[in-house]
């Protein structure tokens, strides 16, 4: 190991081959998760604005910025290609404050050679070898196996809530800094005994980045709908986890071409018998442009929701959700009537 | 006796349907409803005060509009306003068409096919293309809203996307000597430009135009110029509340 001390917390701005950090005995911390699981996430965002970040910057970036201002995390691996276009500027602005910024890129052209080089760069930084990383991959794959079981129980058995599904998937970016403790949390989800959700519930796929709404899932359930597919969060959990480390990170769809994501979405939509998609877009995020592509490429109905500040669903967003749910239920009823007749 | 109520951001619209099928339509400012005609119950829901509204006891109430979830009327069947507006539009056109509703803060477009909403689109995070924007601009220009609605020729080029900043842009243009009719037309045309992408999501050209915004003659001109075959129902601002009652009928049939 290089200059890093064991157990040092290393910030990450998005999913990276986190096996490398675990191999080094350091602790990965997804800055997004620290921010959104805080008791008062919006206070954190407001603080970033007071410190000078523009109002028209994505909430996730503002949240990470504030987190870095107030924690003991001094080293950050920032994903500079394949995620957010604001990361470089945000992390550079923290260099004078003593934050060390290590850039990591997922090459757009999905080149093995380039990705291997990027991973090697991070391994060299931490002073670890490929074999060390493969050992930590085996450790993490044990946890991923449980996450994928939870995901399957969500869409196939219909016995896991959208909220628990999301919790399991989203925390796979950093395994909450402690894979064994995370495994215990996941087993609690597995052990929850619940009746399957009614077959009449609409089945949605949630596309795009994680939302900042705090009550989306209970609200959808109150309307007779649930999310049985989290497109991006599922990718964080590396559904192709059985392959080698390099292959795993090439199979991960989110950082590469949009059309790779579309292919994955189409396959999962069929498998999971989806009724429609909710495409979540964050205000001021470049991913908003992908809405056009989804509408061109996907055949199921799509509702686009935009969120800015962290909090409960506002009246206008509820109106959209209500209309979408009612529209799809009425379509479904007609289809079933036509089939019966 | 049945009452439909459309709780909009600016006005509440009422439609009272008597047992002999006569319809009475009226409106009031939304704040009056909140302050004078609701009883708050311990469970957080509200009850309409029929007495203070000058109404007899009504059998069925159906509510739609932006405020329907906030107000939580305990007596009412709640209907999404987009579906209510689409149902209202189906009173005047059948088959496949677009429904455009220009309300106080929202502009909504729905694709209707064979009596069903197939898809919809609503403006988001910005009210620049809505009725409130037009009201503000009329005030800044010192003309009645009806007069603003009549100008469409030679529109002044307004570049500010924000409804608030557009006020100072207009004042600047006045100082440059741009004429009042050109500025009014500019306000209308900039609104049309914000709505057009929402319409062009679907290739359909048959259009039912509803909501208070349907009284905007300039908007009608621009829509027709863009080859839309526009139908405007009588009393377009009551389309949502009438559609709400239509949906009650449908529900009863089912």
């Amino acid at each position: 190991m290089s200059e890093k001390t064991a157990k040092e917390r290393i910030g990450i701005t998005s999913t990276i081959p986190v096996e490398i950090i675990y191999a080094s005995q350091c602790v990965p911390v997804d800055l997004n998760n620290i921010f959104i699981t805080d008791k008062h996430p919006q206070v954190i965002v407001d603080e970033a604005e007071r410190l000078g970040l523009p109002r028209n910057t994505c909430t996730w970036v503002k949240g990470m910025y504030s987190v870095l201002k107030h924690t003991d995390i001094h080293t950050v691996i920032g994903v500079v290609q394949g995620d957010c276009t604001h990361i470089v500027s945000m992390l550079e602005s923290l260099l004078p404050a003593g934050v060390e910024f290590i850039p990591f890129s997922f090459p757009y052209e999905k080149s093995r050679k380039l990705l291997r080089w990027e991973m090697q760069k991070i391994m060299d930084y931490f002073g670890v070898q490929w074999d060390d990383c493969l050992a930590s991959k085996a450790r993490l794959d044990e946890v991923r196996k449980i996450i994928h079981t939870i995901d399957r129980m969500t869409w196939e058995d219909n016995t896991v809530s959208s909220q628990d599904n999301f919790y399991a998937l989203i925390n796979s970016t950093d395994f909450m800094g402690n894979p064994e403790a995370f495994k215990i949390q996941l087993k609690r989800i597995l052990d929850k005994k619940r009746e399957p959700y009614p077959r009449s519930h609409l089945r949605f796929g949630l596309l795009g980045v994680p939302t900042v709404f705090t009550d989306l899932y209970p609200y959808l359930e109150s309307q007779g709908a649930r999310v049985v597919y989290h497109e991006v969060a599922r990718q964080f959990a590396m559904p192709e986890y059985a392959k080698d480390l390099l292959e795993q990170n090439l199979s991960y769809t989110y950082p590469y071409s949009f059309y790779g994501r579309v292919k994955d979405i189409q396959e999962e939509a069929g498998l999971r018998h989806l009724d429609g998609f909710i495409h979540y877009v964050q205000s001021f995020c470049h991913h908003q442009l992908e809405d056009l592509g989804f509408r061109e490429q996907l055949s199921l109905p799509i509702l686009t929701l935009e969120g800015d500040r962290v909090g409960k669903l506002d009246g206008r967003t509820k109106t959209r959700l209500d209309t979408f749910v009612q529209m799809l239920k009425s379509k479904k009823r007609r289809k079933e009537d036509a089939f019966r007749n | 006796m049945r009452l439909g109520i459309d709780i909009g951001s600016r006005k509440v619209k009422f439609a009272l349907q008597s047992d002999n099928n006569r319809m009475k339509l009226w409106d009031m400012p939304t704040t009056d409803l909140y302050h004078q005609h609701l009883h708050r119950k311990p469970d957080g829901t509200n009850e309409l005060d029929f007495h203070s509204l000058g109404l007899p006891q009504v059998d069925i109430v159906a509510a739609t509009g932006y405020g329907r979830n906030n107000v939580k009327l305990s007596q009412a069947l709640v209907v999404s306003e987009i579906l209510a507006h689409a149902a209202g539009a189906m009173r005047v056109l059948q088959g496949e068409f677009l429904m455009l509703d220009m309300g106080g803060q929202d502009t909504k477009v729905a694709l209707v096919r064979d009596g069903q909403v197939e898809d919809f689109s609503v403006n988001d995070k910005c009210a620049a293309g809505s009725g409130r924007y037009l009201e503000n601009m009329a005030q800044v220009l010192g003309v009645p809203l009806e007069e603003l609605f009549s100008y469409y020729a030679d529109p002044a080029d307004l570049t500010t996307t924000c409804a608030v900043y557009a006020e100072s842009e207009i004042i600047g243009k006045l100082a440059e000597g741009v004429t009042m009719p050109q500025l009014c037309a500019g306000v209308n045309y900039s609104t049309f430009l914000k709505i057009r992408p929402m319409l062009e999501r679907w290739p359909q050209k048959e259009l039912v135009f509803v909501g208070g915004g349907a009284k905007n003659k300039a908007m009608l001109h621009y829509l027709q110029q863009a080859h839309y075959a526009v139908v405007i129902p009588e009393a377009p601002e009551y389309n949502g509340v009438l559609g709400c009652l239509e949906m009650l009928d449908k529900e009863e049939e089912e």
Side-chain angles (χ1 to χ4, degrees), chain A residues 219 283 295 302-303 306-308 315-316 318-320 322-324 326-327 330-331 333-334, chain B residues 66 68-69 80-83 105-106 114-120 122-125 201 254:
Chain A
Y219 187 74
S283 292
R295 288 183 184 279
I302 302 172
L303 173 71
E306 182 177 343
D308 180 10
R316 292 160 47 78
K318 281 182 180 172
T319 294
R320 288 172 171 75
D322 294 354
T323 308
F324 194 56
Q326 289 179 34
M327 179 184 95
S330 142
K331 272 189 185 183
R333 215 167 30 233
R334 280 198 176 196
Chain B
Y66 169 74
R68 71 192 190 285
N69 283 321
S80 143
E81 68 251 50
I82 298 165
L83 299 181
Q105 288 183 2
D106 279 328
D114 301 329
Q116 191 167 318
V117 173
E118 282 293 317
D119 206 354
F120 64 93
V122 188
N123 66 311
D124 204 358
K125 300 279 177 245
R201 187 188 275 191
E254 282 173 8

Side-chain angles (χ1 to χ4, degrees), chain A residues 13 19 22 41 66 81 97 123 137 165-166 174 176 178 186 190 203 206 214 220 249 256 270 275 278 283 339:
Chain A
T13 60
E19 284 83 354
Y22 276 113
S66 280
Q81 192 179 331
M123 286 181 201
K137 175 169 156 50
N165 177 275
F166 181 65
D174 62 359
M176 301 181 92
N178 183 340
L186 294 171
L190 283 181
R203 302 164 69 83
L206 186 57
T214 53
L220 277 176
N249 284 281
Y256 305 109
D275 294 302
I278 295 173
S283 292
F339 184 71

Side-chain angles (χ1 to χ4, degrees), chain A residues 111-333:
Chain A
S111 142
R112 286 181 72 87
K113 193 175 155 192
L114 290 176
L115 183 63
R116 174 181 276 276
W117 191 88
E118 284 289 329
M119 287 168 67
Q120 187 66 56
K121 179 179 79 180
I122 306 292
M123 286 181 201
D124 291 348
Y125 177 85
F126 285 102
V128 296
Q129 308 299 319
W130 284 91
D131 283 349
D132 304 326
C133 298
L134 282 175
S136 61
K137 175 169 156 50
R139 181 183 169 202
L140 300 184
D141 282 352
E142 283 300 306
V143 187
R144 287 190 180 114
K145 242 183 240 171
I146 304 175
I147 297 174
H148 296 306
T149 302
I150 289 173
D151 192 33
R152 189 192 53 72
M153 285 168 68
T154 309
W155 67 265
E156 197 170 28
D157 304 346
N158 297 308
T159 52
V160 172
S161 69
S162 312
Q163 181 80 57
D164 282 346
N165 177 275
F166 181 65
Y167 172 87
L169 296 170
I170 200 71
N171 282 305
S172 65
T173 56
D174 62 359
F175 294 80
M176 301 181 92
N178 183 340
E180 285 68 35
F182 181 37
K183 201 163 147 184
I184 293 168
Q185 299 287 335
L186 294 171
K187 285 204 164 146
R188 282 198 189 127
I189 295 177
L190 283 181
D191 292 342
K192 275 187 194 173
K193 295 265 182 284
R194 86 170 307 287
E195 288 292 304
Y197 282 88
R199 292 180 68 87
S200 57
H201 269 46
L202 289 178
R203 302 164 69 83
F204 288 155
L206 186 57
L207 312 180
V209 298
T211 81
V212 291
F213 300 130
T214 53
D215 57 348
L216 176 67
Y217 303 116
Y219 187 74
L220 277 176
E221 282 183 18
S222 76
Q223 301 297 307
R226 45 195 293 261
V227 175
V228 297
Y229 171 50
H230 286 99
E231 182 242 335
V232 171
R234 172 176 169 271
Q235 284 296 325
F236 289 166
M238 303 288 157
E240 306 293 331
Y241 68 98
K243 299 174 183 169
D244 75 43
L245 191 55
L246 189 60
E247 201 58 46
Q248 172 178 290
N249 284 281
L250 286 168
S251 306
Y252 170 42
T253 60
Y254 172 65
Y256 305 109
S257 167
F258 170 73
Y259 297 97
R261 287 176 61 195
V262 167
K263 186 171 169 282
D264 174 53
I265 293 165
Q266 283 166 331
E267 284 169 7
E268 292 302 315
L271 183 70
R272 295 173 190 233
H273 302 288
L274 300 185
D275 294 302
F277 295 113
I278 295 173
H279 179 208
Y280 176 75
V281 294
Q282 188 66 41
S283 292
F284 317 117
C285 172
H286 70 102
H287 282 299
Q288 289 215 13
L289 271 70
E290 288 158 359
D291 197 56
L292 176 69
F294 281 141
R295 288 183 184 279
E296 278 172 3
Q297 301 289 324
L298 301 174
S299 54
L300 288 174
I302 302 172
L303 173 71
T304 307
L305 289 185
E306 182 177 343
D308 180 10
R309 294 166 67 84
V310 187
K312 290 187 167 184
L313 295 163
D314 59 294
R316 292 160 47 78
T317 305
K318 281 182 180 172
T319 294
R320 288 172 171 75
L321 285 167
D322 294 354
T323 308
F324 194 56
V325 168
Q326 289 179 34
M327 179 184 95
L328 291 186
K329 281 194 170 171
S330 142
K331 272 189 185 183
K332 208 172 176 177
R333 215 167 30 233

